[in-house]
Amino acid sequence: MKIAVISDIHGNKPALDNVLSDINYIGADKIFVLGDLAMGGYDPNYTIEKIFSLENAEIIQGNTDKMIVNYPVPVSNPLMENALKKDVEEITDKNKNLLANLEENKIIQISGIKIQICHGSPRNQEENIFPDTPLETVEEIVSKTDAGIIFCGHTHIPCGFSLNSGKTLVNAGSIGRPMTEDRVPVYLLFQISSNGEFSFEYRKVKYDNKKVSEIMAKRLGEEFSRLYLRR
């Protein structure tokens, strides 16, 4: 079975469309969507509706999805505060209800293996797991889940950990606003056989990030638009 694991779309229509085209090309059987469908992009209604139209998708709520639903909420970063306000104004009530009804995490069993999908971590939507997070810290983070494989996002930086407890945690990165050097949308291809053997592959998908940056400059300002350009 091939499963595409995607996260942190953030209203980025062309990035989502190109990634979904690649997912169709590789013939994925299922898609796990790890939250943050909107907020900080330019077409939040499109990305929400597109995700909910997908067949064979498991979708959970991200922290920015919850912020949209619970607005007004405190936001320490002025750039993100402005982005949140604009999305709240633009997103339809129907789409807000879709976000509100999402679970924060799910357990899915495939080929005898328990898989947990979450946004930040199994215990907190906003917990960061970075490539340099110490192994003992990651072990503590996943200690309360009995899932053998955990998929997360939130940081926009892909990474993975094979833990002494026998668990595997993988951060899928971000489609809509990747924080990698090249700023290219990245997602995870997870393959699992009927006997429980599995593998992971990161896939990067090209798109016109300069054009998106120009659109974002008009919508949210020059400083925000630089988040989409190669460092």
Side-chain angles (χ1 to χ4, degrees), residues 6-16 19 35-44 47 63-65 67-68 75 77-84 87 119 130 153-158 171-187 204-205 207 209 212-213 216-217 219-231:
I6 67 175
S7 190
D8 295 273
I9 300 150
H10 289 291
N12 192 334
K13 178 183 184 296
L16 176 60
V19 166
D36 281 8
L37 280 57
M39 215 282 261
Y42 72 89
D43 203 337
T47 53
N63 67 299
T64 64
D65 302 322
M67 290 164 71
I68 290 166
V75 182
N77 185 318
L79 287 178
M80 294 304 168
E81 184 177 21
N82 185 40
L84 175 61
D87 269 24
H119 185 66
F130 293 110
H154 185 55
T155 64
H156 299 206
I157 302 174
N171 188 317
S174 170
I175 289 178
R177 199 164 64 245
M179 294 301 177
T180 51
E181 183 74 22
D182 54 14
R183 298 293 202 246
V184 175
V186 60
Y187 76 97
K204 290 190 171 184
V205 180
Y207 88 120
N209 61 342
V212 170
S213 179
M216 293 308 300
R219 185 172 193 255
L220 294 173
E222 290 288 344
E223 187 175 355
F224 201 98
S225 73
R226 287 194 287 272
L227 296 174
Y228 292 84
L229 295 176
R230 182 183 174 87
R231 294 179 197 171

Side-chain angles (χ1 to χ4, degrees), residues 111-160:
S111 300
I113 297 177
K114 278 188 177 181
I115 300 166
Q116 183 166 11
I117 59 174
C118 54
H119 185 66
S121 80
R123 63 186 186 183
N124 191 316
Q125 277 183 326
E126 299 189 53
E127 186 159 31
N128 295 317
I129 300 174
F130 293 110
D132 61 353
T133 300
L135 279 175
E136 57 268 25
T137 301
V138 181
E139 288 278 19
E140 180 189 353
I141 288 170
V142 304
S143 62
K144 294 299 197 309
T145 179
D146 62 352
I149 300 173
I150 301 103
F151 293 119
C152 65
H154 185 55
T155 64
H156 299 206
I157 302 174
C159 62

Side-chain angles (χ1 to χ4, degrees), residues 16-32:
L16 176 60
D17 284 344
N18 286 15
V19 166
L20 290 178
S21 292
D22 192 68
I23 289 171
N24 183 62
Y25 169 76
I26 64 173
D29 302 291
K30 292 180 73 67
I31 302 177
F32 293 166

